[in-house]
Amino acid sequence: PLTAQILLSVIETRVQYAIRRIQWAANCFFKEGILPQRWQMFLRANVYRLREISDVKNAVMSAINEVEYKLLMASLNSSRS
């Protein structure tokens, strides 16, 4: 019973895992200096089959917005130098 409780406290759902993969993919795109399209984010994060789940869709859009913001800020900072 104790082991089961501990496992339940640390196990991710499929959606939670998908969101973590999306965040990883967004970081990769940022490092590469690429603003991805939605389909590119779904494919790189390997969550295309979950694309109709609202939490996954929202995470993809948020991640793309975050990459866009970071790229813009990096561009502004480099132009000031």
Side-chain angles (χ1 to χ4, degrees):
L2 183 57
T3 302
Q5 280 181 325
I6 292 172
L7 286 175
L8 285 175
S9 72
V10 296
I11 291 177
E12 289 179 309
T13 65
R14 282 186 77 188
V15 171
Q16 290 169 330
Y17 178 67
I19 291 169
R20 189 161 52 89
R21 296 274 307 172
I22 291 164
Q23 292 166 344
W24 166 82
N27 189 46
C28 289
F29 281 119
F30 171 68
K31 287 179 180 179
E32 296 165 4
I34 297 171
L35 179 59
Q37 298 292 315
R38 281 182 24 201
W39 66 269
Q40 292 172 308
M41 186 68 76
F42 280 117
L43 288 180
R44 176 156 302 174
N46 197 24
V47 296
Y48 191 79
R49 290 184 3 214
L50 304 175
R51 70 189 179 279
E52 297 301 324
I53 297 172
S54 63
D55 286 346
V56 174
K57 281 194 271 191
N58 292 338
V60 165
M61 293 311 299
S62 293
I64 290 172
N65 289 337
E66 182 180 339
V67 171
E68 183 176 27
Y69 176 77
K70 286 181 174 181
L71 289 173
L72 177 63
M73 295 307 291
S75 173
L76 289 174
N77 287 337
S78 68
S79 67
R80 291 181 184 164
S81 299

Coordinates of all heavy atoms in Angstrom, one line a residue:
P1 N 0.8 -1.2 0.0 CA 0.0 0.0 0.0 C 0.9 1.3 0.0 O 0.5 2.2 -0.7 CB -0.8 -0.1 1.3 CG -0.8 -1.5 1.7 CD 0.5 -2.1 1.1
L2 N 1.9 1.3 0.8 CA 2.8 2.4 0.8 C 3.5 2.7 -0.6 O 3.6 3.8 -1.0 CB 3.8 2.3 1.9 CG 4.8 3.5 2.1 CD1 4.0 4.7 2.4 CD2 5.7 3.2 3.3
T3 N 3.9 1.6 -1.2 CA 4.6 1.7 -2.5 C 3.6 2.2 -3.5 O 3.9 3.1 -4.3 CB 5.1 0.3 -2.9 OG1 6.0 -0.2 -2.0 CG2 5.8 0.4 -4.3
A4 N 2.4 1.8 -3.5 CA 1.4 2.2 -4.4 C 1.1 3.7 -4.2 O 1.0 4.5 -5.2 CB 0.1 1.5 -4.2
Q5 N 1.1 4.2 -3.0 CA 0.8 5.6 -2.7 C 2.0 6.4 -3.2 O 1.8 7.5 -3.8 CB 0.7 5.8 -1.2 CG -0.6 5.5 -0.6 CD -0.6 5.8 0.9 OE1 0.4 5.6 1.6 NE2 -1.7 6.3 1.4
I6 N 3.2 6.0 -3.0 CA 4.4 6.7 -3.5 C 4.4 6.8 -5.0 O 4.6 7.8 -5.6 CB 5.7 6.1 -2.9 CG1 5.7 6.3 -1.4 CG2 6.9 6.7 -3.6 CD1 6.8 5.6 -0.7
L7 N 4.1 5.7 -5.7 CA 4.0 5.7 -7.1 C 3.0 6.6 -7.7 O 3.2 7.3 -8.6 CB 3.8 4.3 -7.7 CG 5.0 3.3 -7.6 CD1 4.6 1.9 -8.0 CD2 6.1 3.8 -8.4
L8 N 1.8 6.6 -7.0 CA 0.8 7.5 -7.5 C 1.1 9.0 -7.3 O 0.7 9.8 -8.1 CB -0.5 7.2 -6.7 CG -1.3 6.0 -7.1 CD1 -2.5 5.7 -6.2 CD2 -1.7 6.0 -8.6
S9 N 2.0 9.3 -6.4 CA 2.4 10.7 -6.2 C 3.4 11.2 -7.2 O 3.6 12.4 -7.3 CB 2.9 10.9 -4.7 OG 4.2 10.3 -4.6
V10 N 4.1 10.2 -7.9 CA 5.1 10.7 -8.8 C 4.8 10.3 -10.3 O 5.5 10.8 -11.2 CB 6.5 10.1 -8.4 CG1 6.9 10.6 -7.1 CG2 6.5 8.6 -8.4
I11 N 3.8 9.5 -10.5 CA 3.5 9.1 -11.9 C 2.8 10.3 -12.7 O 1.9 11.0 -12.2 CB 2.6 7.9 -11.9 CG1 3.3 6.7 -11.4 CG2 2.0 7.6 -13.3 CD1 2.5 5.4 -11.3
E12 N 3.2 10.5 -13.9 CA 2.7 11.5 -14.8 C 1.5 10.9 -15.6 O 1.6 9.7 -16.0 CB 3.7 12.0 -15.8 CG 4.8 12.8 -15.3 CD 5.7 13.3 -16.4 OE1 6.2 12.4 -17.1 OE2 6.0 14.5 -16.4
T13 N 0.5 11.7 -15.9 CA -0.5 11.3 -16.9 C 0.1 11.4 -18.3 O 1.1 12.1 -18.5 CB -1.8 12.1 -16.8 OG1 -1.4 13.4 -17.1 CG2 -2.3 12.1 -15.3
R14 N -0.6 10.9 -19.3 CA -0.1 11.1 -20.7 C -0.1 12.6 -21.0 O 0.8 13.0 -21.7 CB -1.1 10.3 -21.6 CG -0.8 8.9 -21.7 CD -1.7 8.2 -22.7 NE -1.0 8.5 -24.0 CZ -1.6 8.1 -25.2 NH1 -2.8 7.6 -25.2 NH2 -1.0 8.4 -26.3
V15 N -1.1 13.3 -20.6 CA -1.1 14.7 -20.9 C 0.0 15.5 -20.2 O 0.6 16.3 -20.8 CB -2.5 15.3 -20.5 CG1 -2.5 16.8 -20.6 CG2 -3.6 14.7 -21.4
Q16 N 0.3 15.2 -18.9 CA 1.4 15.8 -18.2 C 2.7 15.5 -18.9 O 3.6 16.4 -19.1 CB 1.5 15.3 -16.8 CG 0.3 15.8 -15.9 CD 0.3 15.1 -14.6 OE1 0.7 14.0 -14.4 NE2 -0.2 15.9 -13.6
Y17 N 2.9 14.3 -19.4 CA 4.1 13.9 -20.1 C 4.2 14.6 -21.4 O 5.2 15.1 -21.8 CB 4.1 12.4 -20.3 CG 5.3 11.9 -21.1 CD1 6.6 12.0 -20.6 CD2 5.2 11.4 -22.4 CE1 7.7 11.6 -21.3 CE2 6.3 11.0 -23.1 CZ 7.5 11.0 -22.6 OH 8.6 10.6 -23.3
A18 N 3.0 14.8 -22.1 CA 3.0 15.5 -23.4 C 3.4 17.0 -23.2 O 4.2 17.5 -24.0 CB 1.6 15.4 -24.0
I19 N 2.9 17.6 -22.1 CA 3.2 19.0 -21.9 C 4.7 19.1 -21.6 O 5.4 20.1 -22.0 CB 2.4 19.5 -20.7 CG1 0.9 19.6 -21.2 CG2 2.9 20.8 -20.2 CD1 -0.1 19.9 -20.1
R20 N 5.3 18.2 -20.8 CA 6.7 18.2 -20.6 C 7.5 18.1 -21.9 O 8.5 18.8 -22.1 CB 7.1 17.1 -19.6 CG 8.5 17.2 -19.1 CD 8.8 16.5 -17.8 NE 8.4 15.1 -17.9 CZ 9.1 14.1 -18.3 NH1 10.4 14.3 -18.7 NH2 8.7 12.8 -18.3
R21 N 7.1 17.2 -22.8 CA 7.7 17.1 -24.1 C 7.6 18.3 -24.9 O 8.5 18.7 -25.6 CB 7.1 15.9 -24.9 CG 7.3 14.5 -24.2 CD 8.5 13.9 -24.6 NE 8.7 13.8 -26.0 CZ 9.8 13.4 -26.6 NH1 10.8 13.0 -25.9 NH2 9.9 13.4 -27.9
I22 N 6.5 19.0 -24.8 CA 6.3 20.3 -25.6 C 7.2 21.3 -25.0 O 7.8 22.0 -25.8 CB 4.8 20.7 -25.4 CG1 3.9 19.8 -26.2 CG2 4.6 22.1 -25.9 CD1 2.4 19.9 -25.9
Q23 N 7.4 21.4 -23.8 CA 8.4 22.3 -23.2 C 9.8 22.0 -23.6 O 10.6 22.9 -23.9 CB 8.2 22.4 -21.7 CG 6.9 22.9 -21.2 CD 6.6 22.6 -19.7 OE1 7.3 21.8 -19.1 NE2 5.6 23.3 -19.2
W24 N 10.1 20.8 -23.7 CA 11.4 20.4 -24.2 C 11.6 20.8 -25.6 O 12.7 21.3 -26.0 CB 11.6 18.8 -24.0 CG 12.8 18.3 -24.8 CD1 14.1 18.3 -24.4 CD2 12.7 17.7 -26.1 NE1 14.9 17.7 -25.4 CE2 14.1 17.4 -26.4 CE3 11.7 17.5 -27.0 CZ2 14.4 16.8 -27.6 CZ3 12.1 16.9 -28.2 CH2 13.4 16.6 -28.5
A25 N 10.6 20.5 -26.5 CA 10.7 20.9 -27.9 C 10.8 22.4 -28.1 O 11.6 22.8 -28.9 CB 9.5 20.3 -28.6
A26 N 10.1 23.1 -27.3 CA 10.1 24.6 -27.4 C 11.6 25.1 -27.0 O 12.1 25.9 -27.7 CB 9.1 25.2 -26.4
N27 N 12.2 24.5 -26.1 CA 13.6 24.8 -25.7 C 14.5 24.5 -26.9 O 15.4 25.3 -27.2 CB 14.0 24.1 -24.4 CG 15.3 24.6 -23.9 OD1 15.5 25.8 -23.8 ND2 16.2 23.7 -23.5
C28 N 14.3 23.4 -27.5 CA 15.1 23.0 -28.7 C 15.0 24.0 -29.8 O 16.0 24.5 -30.4 CB 14.8 21.6 -29.2 SG 15.2 20.3 -28.1
F29 N 13.7 24.4 -30.1 CA 13.5 25.4 -31.2 C 14.2 26.7 -30.8 O 14.8 27.4 -31.7 CB 12.0 25.6 -31.4 CG 11.4 24.5 -32.2 CD1 10.4 23.7 -31.7 CD2 11.8 24.3 -33.6 CE1 9.8 22.7 -32.5 CE2 11.2 23.3 -34.3 CZ 10.2 22.5 -33.8
F30 N 14.1 27.1 -29.6 CA 14.7 28.4 -29.2 C 16.2 28.3 -29.4 O 16.8 29.3 -29.9 CB 14.3 28.7 -27.7 CG 15.1 29.9 -27.2 CD1 14.9 31.2 -27.7 CD2 16.1 29.7 -26.2 CE1 15.6 32.3 -27.2 CE2 16.8 30.8 -25.8 CZ 16.6 32.1 -26.3
K31 N 16.8 27.3 -28.9 CA 18.3 27.1 -29.0 C 18.7 27.1 -30.5 O 19.8 27.6 -30.8 CB 18.7 25.8 -28.4 CG 18.7 25.9 -26.9 CD 19.2 24.6 -26.3 CE 19.2 24.7 -24.8 NZ 19.6 23.4 -24.2
E32 N 17.8 26.6 -31.4 CA 18.1 26.6 -32.8 C 17.7 27.9 -33.5 O 18.0 28.1 -34.7 CB 17.4 25.5 -33.5 CG 17.8 24.1 -33.0 CD 16.8 23.0 -33.4 OE1 15.8 23.2 -34.1 OE2 17.1 21.8 -32.9
G33 N 17.1 28.8 -32.8 CA 16.7 30.1 -33.4 C 15.5 30.0 -34.3 O 15.4 30.7 -35.3
I34 N 14.7 29.0 -34.1 CA 13.5 28.7 -35.0 C 12.2 29.0 -34.3 O 12.0 28.5 -33.2 CB 13.6 27.2 -35.5 CG1 14.9 27.0 -36.3 CG2 12.3 26.9 -36.3 CD1 15.1 25.5 -36.6
L35 N 11.4 29.7 -35.0 CA 10.0 29.9 -34.5 C 9.1 28.8 -35.3 O 8.9 28.9 -36.5 CB 9.5 31.3 -34.9 CG 8.0 31.6 -34.4 CD1 7.9 31.4 -32.9 CD2 7.6 33.0 -34.8
P36 N 8.7 27.8 -34.5 CA 8.1 26.7 -35.2 C 6.6 27.0 -35.5 O 5.9 27.8 -34.9 CB 8.1 25.6 -34.1 CG 8.1 26.3 -32.8 CD 8.9 27.6 -33.1
Q37 N 6.1 26.2 -36.5 CA 4.7 26.2 -36.7 C 4.1 25.2 -35.7 O 4.8 24.4 -35.2 CB 4.4 25.7 -38.2 CG 5.0 26.6 -39.2 CD 4.2 28.0 -39.3 OE1 3.0 28.0 -39.2 NE2 5.0 29.0 -39.3
R38 N 2.7 25.2 -35.6 CA 2.1 24.3 -34.7 C 2.4 22.9 -35.0 O 2.8 22.1 -34.1 CB 0.6 24.5 -34.7 CG 0.1 25.7 -33.9 CD -1.4 25.9 -33.9 NE -2.1 24.7 -34.1 CZ -3.3 24.6 -34.5 NH1 -4.0 25.7 -34.7 NH2 -3.9 23.4 -34.7
W39 N 2.3 22.5 -36.3 CA 2.5 21.1 -36.6 C 4.0 20.7 -36.3 O 4.2 19.5 -36.0 CB 2.2 20.9 -38.1 CG 3.1 21.6 -39.1 CD1 2.9 22.8 -39.6 CD2 4.3 21.1 -39.7 NE1 3.9 23.1 -40.5 CE2 4.8 22.1 -40.5 CE3 5.0 19.9 -39.5 CZ2 6.0 21.9 -41.3 CZ3 6.2 19.7 -40.2 CH2 6.7 20.8 -41.1
Q40 N 4.9 21.6 -36.5 CA 6.3 21.3 -36.1 C 6.5 21.0 -34.6 O 7.2 20.1 -34.3 CB 7.2 22.4 -36.6 CG 7.3 22.6 -38.1 CD 8.1 23.8 -38.5 OE1 7.8 24.9 -38.0 NE2 9.1 23.7 -39.3
M41 N 5.8 21.8 -33.8 CA 5.9 21.6 -32.4 C 5.3 20.2 -32.0 O 5.8 19.5 -31.2 CB 5.2 22.7 -31.6 CG 5.3 22.7 -30.1 SD 7.0 23.0 -29.5 CE 7.1 24.7 -29.7
F42 N 4.1 19.9 -32.6 CA 3.5 18.6 -32.3 C 4.4 17.5 -32.7 O 4.5 16.5 -32.0 CB 2.1 18.5 -33.1 CG 1.0 19.2 -32.5 CD1 0.3 20.2 -33.1 CD2 0.5 18.8 -31.2 CE1 -0.7 20.9 -32.6 CE2 -0.6 19.5 -30.6 CZ -1.2 20.5 -31.3
L43 N 5.0 17.6 -33.9 CA 5.9 16.5 -34.3 C 7.1 16.4 -33.5 O 7.5 15.2 -33.1 CB 6.2 16.7 -35.8 CG 5.1 16.4 -36.8 CD1 5.5 16.6 -38.2 CD2 4.5 15.0 -36.6
R44 N 7.8 17.5 -33.2 CA 9.1 17.4 -32.5 C 8.8 16.9 -31.1 O 9.6 16.1 -30.5 CB 9.8 18.7 -32.4 CG 11.0 18.6 -31.5 CD 12.1 19.5 -31.7 NE 12.7 19.5 -33.0 CZ 13.7 20.4 -33.2 NH1 14.1 21.3 -32.3 NH2 14.2 20.5 -34.4
A45 N 7.7 17.3 -30.5 CA 7.4 16.8 -29.1 C 6.8 15.4 -29.1 O 6.6 14.8 -28.1 CB 6.4 17.8 -28.5
N46 N 6.5 14.9 -30.3 CA 6.0 13.6 -30.5 C 4.6 13.4 -29.8 O 4.3 12.5 -29.1 CB 6.9 12.5 -30.0 CG 6.6 11.1 -30.6 OD1 5.9 11.0 -31.6 ND2 7.0 10.1 -29.9
V47 N 3.8 14.5 -29.9 CA 2.4 14.5 -29.3 C 1.3 14.7 -30.3 O 0.2 15.1 -30.0 CB 2.4 15.5 -28.2 CG1 3.3 15.2 -27.1 CG2 2.6 16.9 -28.7
Y48 N 1.6 14.4 -31.6 CA 0.7 14.6 -32.6 C -0.7 13.9 -32.4 O -1.7 14.4 -32.7 CB 1.3 14.3 -34.0 CG 0.4 14.7 -35.2 CD1 0.5 16.1 -35.6 CD2 -0.4 13.9 -35.8 CE1 -0.3 16.5 -36.6 CE2 -1.2 14.3 -36.9 CZ -1.1 15.6 -37.3 OH -1.9 16.1 -38.3
R49 N -0.6 12.7 -31.9 CA -1.8 11.9 -31.6 C -2.7 12.5 -30.5 O -3.8 12.2 -30.4 CB -1.4 10.4 -31.3 CG -0.9 9.7 -32.5 CD -0.6 8.3 -32.3 NE -0.9 7.7 -31.1 CZ -0.2 6.7 -30.5 NH1 0.9 6.3 -31.0 NH2 -0.6 6.2 -29.3
L50 N -2.1 13.4 -29.7 CA -2.8 14.0 -28.6 C -3.3 15.4 -29.0 O -3.7 16.2 -28.1 CB -2.0 14.0 -27.4 CG -1.5 12.7 -26.9 CD1 -0.5 12.9 -25.7 CD2 -2.6 11.7 -26.5
R51 N -3.2 15.8 -30.3 CA -3.4 17.2 -30.7 C -4.8 17.7 -30.5 O -4.9 18.9 -30.4 CB -3.0 17.3 -32.2 CG -3.9 16.7 -33.1 CD -3.4 16.7 -34.5 NE -4.3 16.0 -35.5 CZ -4.3 14.7 -35.6 NH1 -3.6 13.9 -34.9 NH2 -5.2 14.2 -36.5
E52 N -5.7 16.9 -30.3 CA -7.1 17.3 -30.1 C -7.5 17.6 -28.6 O -8.5 18.1 -28.3 CB -8.1 16.3 -30.7 CG -8.0 16.2 -32.2 CD -8.2 17.5 -32.9 OE1 -9.0 18.3 -32.5 OE2 -7.5 17.7 -34.0
I53 N -6.6 17.2 -27.7 CA -6.8 17.4 -26.3 C -6.5 18.9 -26.0 O -5.4 19.4 -26.3 CB -5.9 16.5 -25.5 CG1 -6.3 15.0 -25.8 CG2 -6.0 16.8 -24.0 CD1 -5.4 14.0 -25.1
S54 N -7.5 19.5 -25.3 CA -7.4 21.0 -25.1 C -6.1 21.4 -24.4 O -5.5 22.4 -24.7 CB -8.6 21.5 -24.5 OG -8.8 21.0 -23.2
D55 N -5.7 20.7 -23.3 CA -4.5 21.0 -22.6 C -3.3 20.9 -23.4 O -2.4 21.7 -23.3 CB -4.4 20.1 -21.3 CG -5.4 20.4 -20.2 OD1 -6.0 21.5 -20.3 OD2 -5.5 19.6 -19.3
V56 N -3.2 19.9 -24.3 CA -2.1 19.8 -25.2 C -2.1 20.9 -26.2 O -1.0 21.5 -26.5 CB -2.1 18.4 -25.9 CG1 -1.0 18.3 -26.9 CG2 -2.0 17.3 -24.8
K57 N -3.2 21.2 -26.8 CA -3.3 22.3 -27.8 C -2.9 23.6 -27.1 O -2.1 24.4 -27.7 CB -4.7 22.5 -28.3 CG -5.1 21.5 -29.4 CD -6.4 22.0 -30.1 CE -7.6 21.4 -29.4 NZ -8.8 21.6 -30.1
N58 N -3.4 23.9 -25.9 CA -3.0 25.1 -25.2 C -1.5 25.2 -24.9 O -0.9 26.2 -25.0 CB -3.8 25.2 -23.9 CG -5.3 25.5 -24.2 OD1 -5.7 26.0 -25.2 ND2 -6.1 25.2 -23.2
A59 N -0.9 24.0 -24.5 CA 0.5 24.0 -24.2 C 1.3 24.3 -25.4 O 2.3 25.0 -25.3 CB 0.9 22.6 -23.6
V60 N 0.9 23.8 -26.6 CA 1.6 24.0 -27.8 C 1.6 25.5 -28.2 O 2.6 26.1 -28.5 CB 1.1 23.2 -29.0 CG1 1.5 23.7 -30.3 CG2 1.5 21.7 -28.8
M61 N 0.4 26.1 -28.1 CA 0.3 27.5 -28.4 C 1.1 28.4 -27.4 O 1.8 29.3 -27.8 CB -1.2 28.0 -28.4 CG -2.0 27.3 -29.5 SD -1.2 27.5 -31.1 CE -1.2 29.2 -31.4
S62 N 1.0 28.0 -26.1 CA 1.8 28.8 -25.1 C 3.3 28.6 -25.4 O 4.1 29.6 -25.3 CB 1.5 28.3 -23.7 OG 0.2 28.6 -23.4
A63 N 3.7 27.4 -25.8 CA 5.2 27.2 -26.0 C 5.6 28.0 -27.2 O 6.7 28.5 -27.2 CB 5.4 25.7 -26.2
I64 N 4.8 28.0 -28.3 CA 5.2 28.8 -29.5 C 5.3 30.3 -29.1 O 6.2 31.0 -29.5 CB 4.2 28.5 -30.6 CG1 4.3 27.1 -31.1 CG2 4.4 29.5 -31.7 CD1 3.3 26.7 -32.1
N65 N 4.3 30.8 -28.3 CA 4.4 32.2 -27.9 C 5.6 32.4 -27.1 O 6.2 33.5 -27.2 CB 3.1 32.5 -27.1 CG 1.9 32.6 -28.0 OD1 2.0 32.8 -29.2 ND2 0.7 32.4 -27.4
E66 N 6.0 31.5 -26.2 CA 7.2 31.7 -25.4 C 8.4 31.7 -26.3 O 9.3 32.5 -26.1 CB 7.2 30.6 -24.4 CG 8.4 30.7 -23.5 CD 8.5 29.6 -22.4 OE1 7.5 28.9 -22.2 OE2 9.6 29.3 -21.9
V67 N 8.5 30.8 -27.3 CA 9.7 30.8 -28.2 C 9.7 32.1 -28.9 O 10.8 32.7 -29.1 CB 9.6 29.6 -29.1 CG1 10.7 29.7 -30.2 CG2 9.7 28.3 -28.4
E68 N 8.6 32.6 -29.4 CA 8.6 33.8 -30.2 C 9.1 35.0 -29.3 O 9.9 35.8 -29.7 CB 7.1 34.1 -30.7 CG 7.0 35.4 -31.5 CD 5.6 35.6 -32.1 OE1 4.7 35.1 -31.4 OE2 5.5 36.2 -33.1
Y69 N 8.6 35.0 -28.1 CA 9.0 36.1 -27.2 C 10.5 36.0 -26.9 O 11.2 37.0 -26.9 CB 8.2 36.0 -25.9 CG 8.7 37.0 -24.8 CD1 8.3 38.3 -24.9 CD2 9.5 36.6 -23.7 CE1 8.7 39.3 -24.0 CE2 9.9 37.5 -22.8 CZ 9.5 38.8 -22.9 OH 9.9 39.8 -22.0
K70 N 11.0 34.8 -26.6 CA 12.4 34.7 -26.3 C 13.3 35.0 -27.5 O 14.4 35.6 -27.3 CB 12.7 33.2 -25.8 CG 12.3 32.9 -24.4 CD 12.6 31.5 -24.1 CE 12.3 31.1 -22.7 NZ 12.7 29.7 -22.4
L71 N 12.9 34.6 -28.7 CA 13.6 35.0 -29.9 C 13.6 36.5 -30.1 O 14.7 37.0 -30.5 CB 13.1 34.2 -31.1 CG 13.3 32.7 -31.1 CD1 12.5 32.1 -32.3 CD2 14.8 32.4 -31.2
L72 N 12.5 37.1 -29.9 CA 12.4 38.6 -30.0 C 13.3 39.3 -29.0 O 14.1 40.2 -29.4 CB 11.0 39.0 -29.8 CG 10.8 40.5 -29.9 CD1 11.1 41.1 -31.3 CD2 9.3 40.9 -29.6
M73 N 13.3 38.8 -27.8 CA 14.2 39.4 -26.8 C 15.6 39.2 -27.1 O 16.5 40.1 -26.9 CB 13.8 38.9 -25.4 CG 12.4 39.2 -24.9 SD 12.1 41.0 -25.0 CE 13.1 41.6 -23.7
A74 N 16.0 38.0 -27.5 CA 17.4 37.7 -27.9 C 17.8 38.6 -29.1 O 18.9 39.1 -29.1 CB 17.5 36.2 -28.2
S75 N 16.9 38.8 -30.0 CA 17.2 39.6 -31.1 C 17.4 41.1 -30.7 O 18.4 41.8 -31.2 CB 16.1 39.6 -32.2 OG 16.3 40.5 -33.2
L76 N 16.6 41.6 -29.8 CA 16.7 42.9 -29.3 C 18.0 43.1 -28.5 O 18.7 44.1 -28.7 CB 15.5 43.3 -28.5 CG 14.2 43.5 -29.2 CD1 13.1 43.7 -28.2 CD2 14.3 44.7 -30.2
N77 N 18.3 42.1 -27.7 CA 19.6 42.2 -26.9 C 20.8 42.2 -27.8 O 21.8 42.9 -27.5 CB 19.6 41.1 -25.9 CG 18.6 41.3 -24.8 OD1 18.2 42.5 -24.5 ND2 18.2 40.3 -24.1
S78 N 20.8 41.4 -28.8 CA 22.0 41.3 -29.7 C 22.1 42.6 -30.6 O 23.2 43.0 -30.9 CB 21.9 40.1 -30.6 OG 20.9 40.2 -31.5
S79 N 21.0 43.2 -30.9 CA 21.1 44.4 -31.7 C 21.6 45.6 -30.9 O 22.1 46.6 -31.4 CB 19.7 44.8 -32.4 OG 18.8 45.1 -31.4
R80 N 21.4 45.5 -29.6 CA 21.9 46.6 -28.7 C 23.4 46.5 -28.5 O 24.0 47.5 -28.0 CB 21.2 46.5 -27.3 CG 19.7 46.9 -27.4 CD 19.1 46.8 -26.1 NE 17.7 47.1 -26.2 CZ 16.8 46.9 -25.2 NH1 17.2 46.3 -24.1 NH2 15.6 47.1 -25.4
S81 N 24.0 45.4 -28.7 CA 25.4 45.2 -28.4 C 26.3 45.8 -29.5 O 26.0 46.1 -30.6 CB 25.7 43.7 -28.4 OG 25.0 43.1 -27.3

